[in-house]
Amino acid sequence: TKSSTYDQIVTLFIDTTHPILKERTFREALYGSLPVRELEKLGNIAVSPVSPFSPYYDKQLARTPENREVNLTILKRFFKEASDSSTLKLSTTIDYLNIAQLIKDIVKSAGGDINLDVAGLKKGDRFDLLIGLWDIPTDANQYYVWHSSQKGK
């Protein structure tokens, strides 16, 4: 049986300064291409960084319905129109290699170029995509996490 903890989530962090990743449509298509059934085997899928036990959790949030074919078509269009600088660097640790491989397979099937970097990351390391464990703040007011003026520590 799988068990879930609601004080941490495995998160895909995205560097939105990358030429392709800055496009919201691309990010949404990548999200919509994720294999839900495979990910559900690993635990509950979070649709929000707010714990479902928080009084601020929005019960009406739901994962976008899966339409992998449409999303893969969108990704293919982006990669076809992209420059050579569109190669993505996906960084993770060995703990999340299985999830990284799923994402790598999606990008490759859409005609994209992606390098997988499995190592211990240090402060200041560059990435385009990063899979890591994130501790959900206990403060229900998460403004300080999401506000664009916040800088890394």
Side-chain angles (χ1 to χ4, degrees), residues 19-59:
I20 287 181
L21 296 174
K22 70 180 178 183
E23 300 295 334
R24 181 178 179 176
T25 303
F26 180 89
R27 296 190 311 268
E28 289 173 346
L30 182 61
Y31 171 75
S33 299
L34 295 173
V36 175
R37 288 187 185 95
E38 290 296 313
L39 294 173
E40 285 175 335
K41 293 176 187 175
L42 304 173
N44 292 330
I45 295 177
V47 294
S48 166
V50 178
S51 166
F53 299 111
S54 167
Y56 301 101
Y57 181 76
D58 185 351
K59 291 179 175 79

Side-chain angles (χ1 to χ4, degrees), residues 35-119:
V36 175
R37 288 187 185 95
E38 290 296 313
L39 294 173
E40 285 175 335
K41 293 176 187 175
L42 304 173
N44 292 330
I45 295 177
V47 294
S48 166
V50 178
S51 166
F53 299 111
S54 167
Y56 301 101
Y57 181 76
D58 185 351
K59 291 179 175 79
Q60 296 184 349
L61 284 176
R63 178 161 161 66
T64 306
E66 187 176 347
N67 191 338
R68 294 192 72 205
E69 293 306 313
V70 169
N71 288 307
L72 283 173
T73 300
I74 293 168
L75 293 177
K76 286 177 184 177
R77 180 182 48 118
F78 270 97
F79 284 121
K80 186 176 180 181
E81 296 171 359
S83 67
D84 291 337
S85 66
S86 65
T87 298
L88 298 173
K89 178 182 178 186
L90 172 57
S91 300
T92 191
T93 62
I94 194 74
D95 297 324
Y96 308 112
L97 183 57
N98 55 344
I99 299 169
Q101 190 61 52
L102 290 173
I103 294 171
K104 181 179 178 181
D105 292 347
I106 290 167
V107 170
K108 290 284 193 184
S109 70
D113 196 17
I114 185 165
N115 297 318
L116 188 55
D117 179 30
V118 181

